[in-house]
Amino acid sequence: MSHDHAAVPPTDEQFWEDRYRGSDQVWSGKPNAALVREAAGLTPGAALDLGCGEGADAIWLAAHGWRVTAVDVSPTALRRGASHAAVAGLGDHIDWQRHDLATAFPDGRYDLVSACFLHSRGPLPWRAVLRTASAAVVPGGVLLVVGHRTFPSWHVGQHENVEFPGPDEVLAALALPDREWEVLVKEAYEFAATGPEGQPGTRSDSTLKVRRLAD
Ligand SMILES: C[S@@+](CC[C@H](N)C(=O)[O-])C[C@H]1O[C@@H](n2cnc3c(N)ncnc32)[C@H](O)[C@@H]1O
């Protein structure tokens, strides 16, 4: 599926299907360090991974005892995730679901809802999606939102109109009632990182981790 970026903005599905079909592997296959850091101390239960890509976070969660629902708009990414999970012997622990989160959301409530780098050049309404995500967290459960603050230093090409909200902006967008939620982590940070072709550089990311105290 190809499209003219200049004329009509792509949908999230068009953009991401093009991206995944354009190479055999887009991401490293390793779970996000922030997900590992923030989920490691949680008691495993039901987890929802929003924008799961090729599934590394979902597979890490499943390997650590979680029952995972992994959602993405790209069928190609989901097929890759399911295939990696099968190779890891974790096929039965992850339910791969295709949804365009702009218009649909998986059923159920979860002990952990994770949105790691849920960014798009398409029209993804991230504020509404994250508010819906917060409603899907059970009392005692955690919502984790990890995102870029800027493109990585090695990013070349257009700096298209992608929104990279900071943790304060994400928290404000969630509009969580104070008495029902506690903020566990709210931070922006920069760190040395290596690009896909081994380029040294820096990344600037943020983490918001909130726990639902009550309904
Ligand atoms: C930057 S990638 C991050 C992938 C993975 N979470 C990770 O950290 O490696 C963003 C992911 O969000 C997915 N995505 C973008 N817009 C979406 C939408 N409207 N509905 C569902 N998934 C979407 C993309 O297909 C892509 O896999």
Side-chain angles (χ1 to χ4, degrees), residues 39-47 61 64-67 111:
L42 303 177
T43 303
L61 287 166
H64 288 79
W66 296 81
R67 300 180 310 282
D111 302 287

Side-chain angles (χ1 to χ4, degrees), residues 36-61:
V36 172
R37 187 166 63 236
E38 302 304 341
L42 303 177
T43 303
L48 174 62
D49 183 1
L50 297 172
C52 64
E54 292 161 325
D57 285 358
I59 290 169
W60 184 89
L61 287 166

Side-chain angles (χ1 to χ4, degrees), residues 75-101:
T76 300
L78 290 167
R79 269 196 304 276
R80 286 181 192 165
S83 146
H84 297 321
V87 169
L90 294 165
D92 293 344
H93 301 248
I94 308 175
D95 179 14
W96 304 91
Q97 295 188 14
R98 190 205 157 271
H99 295 282
D100 182 343
L101 292 166

Side-chain angles (χ1 to χ4, degrees), residues 23-193:
S23 93
D24 290 341
Q25 181 177 343
V26 170
W27 310 113
S28 68
K30 297 185 191 138
N32 285 302
L35 180 274
V36 172
R37 187 166 63 236
E38 302 304 341
L42 303 177
T43 303
L48 174 62
D49 183 1
L50 297 172
C52 64
E54 292 161 325
D57 285 358
I59 290 169
W60 184 89
L61 287 166
H64 288 79
W66 296 81
R67 300 180 310 282
V68 186
T69 300
V71 171
D72 206 281
V73 73
S74 161
T76 300
L78 290 167
R79 269 196 304 276
R80 286 181 192 165
S83 146
H84 297 321
V87 169
L90 294 165
D92 293 344
H93 301 248
I94 308 175
D95 179 14
W96 304 91
Q97 295 188 14
R98 190 205 157 271
H99 295 282
D100 182 343
L101 292 166
T103 53
F105 201 88
D107 292 335
R109 293 187 86 195
Y110 301 87
D111 302 287
L112 170 65
V113 179
S114 170
C116 282
F117 308 106
L118 180 61
H119 303 304
S120 187
R121 287 173 177 76
L124 180 72
W126 63 267
R127 291 176 183 79
V129 173
L130 293 182
R131 277 197 291 271
T132 306
S134 70
V137 176
V138 296
V142 163
L143 172 66
L144 176 67
V145 184
V146 177
H148 294 309
R149 295 292 292 110
T150 62
F151 283 103
S153 59
W154 54 80
H155 178 85
V156 289
Q158 292 174 280
H159 280 51
E160 299 87 347
N161 192 21
V162 185
E163 279 191 90
F164 291 134
D168 290 305
E169 197 181 344
V170 172
L171 186 60
L174 287 168
L176 304 172
D178 280 349
R179 274 166 300 145
E180 294 171 21
W181 292 81
E182 67 175 324
V183 176
L184 302 176
V185 177
K186 181 166 70 71
E187 58 187 14
Y189 41 91
E190 198 169 289
F191 56 101

Side-chain angles (χ1 to χ4, degrees), residues 193-201:
T194 308
E197 270 113 47
Q199 318 90 308

Side-chain angles (χ1 to χ4, degrees), residues 201-213:
T202 53
R203 272 176 47 183
S204 180
D205 290 351
S206 73
T207 295
L208 178 71
K209 181 183 187 184
V210 288
R211 184 190 302 280
R212 181 191 282 280
L213 302 172

